[in-house]
Structures are given as C-alpha cells and as structure tokens.
Amino acid sequence: MPSKLVEKTMRTKRLPHIWCPGCGHGILMRDVCQAIDNLGLEKEKVCIVSGIGCSSRAAGYMNYNTLHTTHGRAIAFATGIKMARPELHVIVITGDGDATAIGGNHLIHAARRNIDLTVVVFNNNIYGMTGGQYSPTTPTGEKGTTAPYGNIDGDFDIPKLAEVAGATYTARCDCYHVPQAVKLIEEGIKNKGFSLIEGVSICPTYYGRKNKKGSAVQMMHWQEKNCIDVKKAAKMTADELEGKILLGEMSRKELPEYTELYDKIIEKAGGKK
C-alpha cells in the first residue's frame, strides 16, 4: 500500500496487522481503501461495519467511522446505521462464514430490501479465525478441520445468491487482479442500492495447508492463471472454463432504494424527517 494512502486511510498506530503471513485479506482491505480514496469520499461520511472473523479485523485498522460488531450481524448493524443516517456511505466488510452462514438471513433480506449498503465479502473458503472449519463456500470435496475426509456440501455462489435475493449490483474480484478489484468496489459504492462484491481471498494457513495448495505465492499464482474475467470467459468453451473462477460485474439493475421509500412512508403518515 502506498505510504500516502496508508496515512490517509489507516490507523497507523494499529499496524502492522495481525493476519497470517500470506493472507489475502490485507490486499482486499487495501482495495477498499483505494476505492474510497479514488471516489473522494469525505472520511466523516464513510462508515465501515464488520462482524466477527479474520476479515472483520479490517474495521479496526481503517481510519473511518467504524463498528466491529457481533458474529453474523454486521449487515443488521449496518442497516440500522443507514436508516438513521442515510447520507452516509455504509460499507460492510465480512467473511464467507460471517455473511453466508450465521449472517445468511441478514444478507438475503438486506438484498431483498435493496437498502443502500456496499457489502464486501472476503472469501477465503474457510473459518480461518476459529480453527479451519469448513464454511458455506468451501468447495465440495475440499477439507477442513470439521471435514477431514472432504466436504460433501455444495458451495454458495455468493454474488448469484445476492442477485436472486434482490441486490442491484453484484461482482466478484480476487487478490491478484488489484486494479479490477478496486474498480468493482468503486462501482458497488456508487450504486444506489444493495451492492455485494465477493473478494476471493487466500488462506495459506488453514485452507491452503489442509488442501495442499502450496505456499501463499503459489496460491496467488493460481489466482493469476485461473481467475478469468467474465468478458474473456464468454469466448471460452465449457472445457476451458472447468475449474476457473469468473471475475467482474455479475449483475446490475435499477430498483427503488429502501431508505428513500421509507422517507415517502413518513411523508404519507404526516411525519417530519
């Protein structure tokens, strides 16, 4: 991260961070900071909300209004903030377990309402903070401490889950293709409605080691070769796309935003904003 960006966006006294060497979360946190900075958002108008998990440590390092909340409830807290202060840019940083397991209902109902939140899911395919249990995004057949013989569950496609629930912007990025990640997060923040960006992270400590993915460098090289932009993917065959992860904007549509609809209800009831 450039030193000027660190000074502008981070609580430098709390650095260095405590993520494991090679963890992809620091890169994704930097991407969120860069997107905020690129958009020129006022620091006082940005609120970062996180739940519990490796990803949720990010809120403590980022120098904005921040809340580090309870497990699975980041989107619920963020909803309350947005309802009370709709002028704020409320950004949720959450993990695959935090958002789609214990927090799954909050995710789908916030998407259904189309409330103006930007949710960035740091997906490392595992519960990294609590010992390497398999999560809703652990690929079928892969191992975790709670799946020593291989996970038999199907894994969530998080952007698709959010899209069908009602999100008006969904996208997927990864740790390796940084400029694309920053741009997709920017677009999510600009969208007037519920936005979800999945950030495909790496966890060499638990997921990588348990599944023999090699070093952090090797896991990053895997992303370089196997994370494919959706536009390029459209020209590839099914065989060529086998085992690949698609990156880019997955969906975009326009629907009324929830806090604006709520204001109209207040007006009809004769109340004052």
Side-chain angles (χ1 to χ4, degrees):
M1 184 184 285
S3 59
K4 289 185 179 179
L5 185 65
V6 171
E7 293 168 4
K8 288 176 67 176
T9 64
M10 305 298 293
R11 293 172 174 140
T12 55
K13 291 183 180 180
R14 296 193 176 182
L15 298 175
H17 61 64
I18 64 168
W19 289 312
C20 300
C23 175
H25 286 3
I27 298 172
L28 293 173
M29 178 177 67
R30 178 258 179 216
D31 294 343
V32 175
C33 290
Q34 186 68 70
I36 294 170
D37 190 60
N38 287 353
L39 292 172
L41 304 182
E42 295 179 44
K43 187 173 291 188
E44 294 75 17
K45 293 293 181 68
V46 175
C47 184
I48 307 292
V49 184
S50 68
I52 295 296
C54 294
S55 63
S56 297
R57 295 285 185 174
Y61 302 124
M62 300 171 74
N63 193 19
Y64 301 96
N65 300 299
T66 59
L67 275 79
H68 188 186
T69 68
T70 52
H71 196 195
R73 311 299 180 229
I75 292 174
F77 278 87
T79 296
I81 295 164
K82 188 66 182 182
M83 292 297 292
R85 296 285 301 277
E87 75 278 8
L88 296 179
H89 301 280
V90 184
I91 301 170
V92 177
I93 293 179
T94 181
D96 44 304
D98 192 49
T100 67
I102 188 171
N105 266 353
H106 295 303
L107 170 63
I108 62 175
H109 289 296
R112 176 177 65 88
R113 295 183 181 107
N114 193 38
I115 190 167
D116 187 19
L117 304 176
T118 303
V119 177
V120 186
V121 182
F122 290 13
N123 178 14
N124 59 6
N125 303 118
I126 205 84
Y127 280 95
M129 192 183 77
T130 55
Q133 302 94 327
Y134 76 94
S135 83
T137 63
T138 303
T140 305
E142 299 282 71
K143 296 177 180 179
T145 55
T146 48
Y149 303 107
N151 170 35
I152 62 172
D153 293 353
D155 54 308
F156 274 142
D157 181 326
I158 302 178
K160 189 173 290 185
L161 173 67
E163 179 187 356
V164 298
T168 47
Y169 178 85
T170 64
R172 180 183 293 116
C173 62
D174 68 344
C175 295
Y176 183 84
H177 299 88
V178 168
Q180 181 187 36
V182 173
K183 182 63 177 175
L184 292 170
I185 296 168
E186 286 179 27
E187 291 300 310
I189 294 171
K190 290 191 295 184
N191 177 55
K192 190 67 174 178
F194 188 85
S195 302
L196 180 138
I197 303 94
E198 176 188 8
V200 181
S201 190
I202 60 171
C203 174
T205 300
Y206 276 116
Y207 179 71
R209 184 172 55 185
K210 180 69 73 173
N211 291 286
K212 296 180 170 55
K213 302 294 183 182
S215 68
V217 172
Q218 289 173 309
M219 293 180 75
M220 288 289 284
H221 280 309
W222 188 93
Q223 287 195 350
E224 177 189 9
K225 296 175 182 177
N226 292 282
C227 292
I228 309 294
D229 185 87
V230 288
K231 295 178 182 177
K232 181 179 178 181
K235 301 175 183 178
M236 298 171 66
T237 67
D239 287 342
E240 290 172 328
L241 290 172
E242 183 69 28
K244 300 294 191 290
I245 295 174
L246 300 188
L247 305 180
E249 184 177 301
M250 300 298 166
S251 67
R252 185 193 291 265
K253 57 189 173 185
E254 291 188 14
L255 289 172
E257 193 275 324
Y258 191 76
T259 61
E260 293 180 350
L261 291 176
Y262 194 75
D263 285 346
K264 291 179 182 179
I265 291 293
I266 293 173
E267 290 175 8
K268 285 183 181 179
K272 292 183 180 181
K273 180 70 176 176

